[in-house]
Amino acid sequence: MRLNWSDVTPKPLWLNRRQLIAGAAAFAATPAMARIEAAPSAYSTADEPNSLEDITSYNNFYEFGTGKGDPAANAAGLTVDPWSITIDGLVDKPGTYDLADVMTGQPLEERIYRFRCVEAWAMVVPWIGFELAGLLNRVGVQPSAKFVAFETLVRPEEMPGVASPFIEWPYREGLRLDEAMHPLTILATGLYSEAMPKQNGAPIRLVVPWKYGFKSIKSIVRISLVDKMPKTTWNMLQPSEYGFYSNVNPTVDHPRWSQASERRIGAGLFGGRQDTLMFNGYEAEVASLYAGMDLAENY
Ligand code: MTE
């Protein structure tokens, strides 16, 4: 059964939200190239964003292949409309919601975030998105929920990479509830003021800027509120190399390479190396989430 927010929300409230976001919601019904209006955010970095070309041509999206150019080459056939997300588990209003309903009432912002891949490359991306907390509050998180689990679409006829048994599909990720509720954590639906390019995780993906990029799961179809730490794709593949937390941490190396520095994509052959910052530069905002935890133990 497909639910609309109007089925689970008192009508006056719903109408009010609809009116409020009329401008933002309008884009969902318009072609992909329509400009998205989004408010600037105080959480944006002053760093210069990478070019649209860099951001859309150097990607990891294993559902389309393992090469950096594979997502751009193979994702064009992905159908992103219609799109729905199942929200289930320990929530007051479980259901399968159309994307437009998911976005209803969630104020869109432009968030220019640093993005750090576990493979020691980095970019700066001007995302368009809204806080995951806004959505979670709307579906009503029950007190027993401790973690949030996410899953990506699996559609073999449109995703050549899922023929590979290397990953146990669907791609999965997870956050502790307080991480999911943190205002820096967003669901992104676009970048550079346009709807999300398919290779970047259209139509909706997670962005958690203080964690390694693999936590930022793409093309999400399920969000589950759970009471136990969920299984995550990279941890399932190689637990000694990829932990659940995966916070960017220059003092904890990957077993096979240093995490102390990173290559800035697009910065050229000679100028591209920079120091990696604790929590990817978001230490002031998020360090308190991990107070008292041994971050070498909880990598
Ligand atoms: N999400 C899915 N579904 N499949 C993937 O292979 N790769 C992750 C993450 N999300 C991945 C994914 C990794 S390893 C990185 S670094 C980022 O997506 C890359 O995001 P970008 O293409 O926007 O740079």
Side-chain angles (χ1 to χ4, degrees), residues 54-66 68 71 115-119 121 123 125 127 151-153 159 167 169-173 191 196-201 205-207 212-220 233-234:
D54 285 344
I55 295 169
T56 56
S57 63
Y58 190 91
N59 303 98
N60 280 329
F61 197 167
Y62 281 29
E63 286 83 341
F64 296 99
T66 53
K68 300 288 181 248
F115 188 87
R116 170 61 156 81
C117 181
V118 74
E119 299 162 321
W121 53 265
M123 291 200 197
V125 185
W127 304 107
E151 286 180 16
T152 294
L153 176 78
M159 295 174 145
I167 284 174
W169 312 100
Y171 191 99
R172 290 161 239 236
E173 259 310 334
L191 57 84
M196 189 64 77
K198 291 178 180 176
Q199 58 269 43
N200 292 89
R205 64 169 292 167
L206 187 69
V207 182
Y212 291 119
F214 65 84
K215 300 296 280 183
S216 293
I217 182 173
K218 297 174 167 183
S219 304
I220 296 168
T233 288
W234 287 96

Side-chain angles (χ1 to χ4, degrees), residues 7-51:
D7 299 327
V8 295
T9 310
K11 200 164 187 193
L13 249 181
W14 172 72
L15 278 175
N16 208 358
R17 286 193 186 118
R18 274 270 139 125
Q19 286 152 3
L20 270 175
I21 55 90
F27 103 92
T30 55
M33 298 320 280
R35 305 277 302 170
I36 302 169
E37 296 303 324
S41 168
Y43 289 111
S44 288
T45 169
D47 297 8
E48 185 67 26
N50 276 82
S51 69

Side-chain angles (χ1 to χ4, degrees), residues 3-281:
L3 290 176
N4 289 316
W5 288 116
S6 48
D7 299 327
V8 295
T9 310
K11 200 164 187 193
L13 249 181
W14 172 72
L15 278 175
N16 208 358
R17 286 193 186 118
R18 274 270 139 125
Q19 286 152 3
L20 270 175
I21 55 90
F27 103 92
T30 55
M33 298 320 280
R35 305 277 302 170
I36 302 169
E37 296 303 324
S41 168
Y43 289 111
S44 288
T45 169
D47 297 8
E48 185 67 26
N50 276 82
S51 69
L52 183 62
E53 169 70 17
D54 285 344
I55 295 169
T56 56
S57 63
Y58 190 91
N59 303 98
N60 280 329
F61 197 167
Y62 281 29
E63 286 83 341
F64 296 99
T66 53
K68 300 288 181 248
D70 288 345
N74 298 331
L78 179 67
T79 306
V80 297
D81 184 15
W83 193 272
S84 55
I85 302 182
T86 298
I87 306 178
D88 60 8
L90 303 167
V91 290
D92 295 336
K93 299 168 189 169
T96 296
Y97 297 97
D98 282 325
L99 179 60
D101 284 328
V102 167
M103 294 177 64
T104 297
Q106 307 302 329
L108 286 181
E109 288 183 7
E110 181 180 67
R111 296 276 183 106
I112 305 172
Y113 279 166
R114 283 183 289 274
F115 188 87
R116 170 61 156 81
C117 181
V118 74
E119 299 162 321
W121 53 265
M123 291 200 197
V124 176
V125 185
W127 304 107
I128 305 289
F130 57 91
E131 292 179 10
L132 174 61
L135 176 63
L136 295 180
N137 287 332
R138 196 145 153 225
V139 292
V141 176
Q142 297 181 349
S144 51
K146 301 283 180 279
F147 295 90
V148 187
F150 303 85
E151 286 180 16
T152 294
L153 176 78
V154 185
R155 193 181 284 152
E157 62 280 19
E158 292 182 355
M159 295 174 145
V162 304
S164 157
F166 157 66
I167 284 174
E168 190 187 309
W169 312 100
Y171 191 99
R172 290 161 239 236
E173 259 310 334
L175 295 172
R176 216 168 59 187
L177 185 60
D178 58 346
E179 298 175 324
M181 288 298 212
H182 193 280
L184 278 172
T185 303
I186 59 168
L187 287 170
T189 57
L191 57 84
Y192 266 117
S193 302
E194 289 175 5
M196 189 64 77
K198 291 178 180 176
Q199 58 269 43
N200 292 89
I204 186 164
R205 64 169 292 167
L206 187 69
V207 182
V208 193
W210 72 94
K211 292 180 181 281
Y212 291 119
F214 65 84
K215 300 296 280 183
S216 293
I217 182 173
K218 297 174 167 183
S219 304
I220 296 168
V221 293
R222 183 183 290 269
I223 300 176
S224 308
L225 278 290
V226 295
D227 59 359
K228 294 195 178 59
M229 189 179 276
K231 292 210 275 182
T232 59
T233 288
W234 287 96
N235 183 252
M236 288 161 74
L237 273 171
Q238 197 50 272
S240 61
E241 299 188 358
Y242 308 103
F244 177 81
Y245 285 97
S246 300
N247 293 316
V248 175
N249 189 339
T251 69
V252 177
D253 287 339
H254 186 281
R256 291 183 281 132
W257 58 82
S258 165
Q259 294 291 22
S261 70
E262 61 206 32
R263 182 171 59 93
R264 171 80 192 268
I265 299 297
L269 270 184
F270 303 105
R273 204 112 207 139
Q274 60 196 24
D275 289 344
T276 289
L277 302 173
M278 188 63 200
F279 296 112
N280 201 24

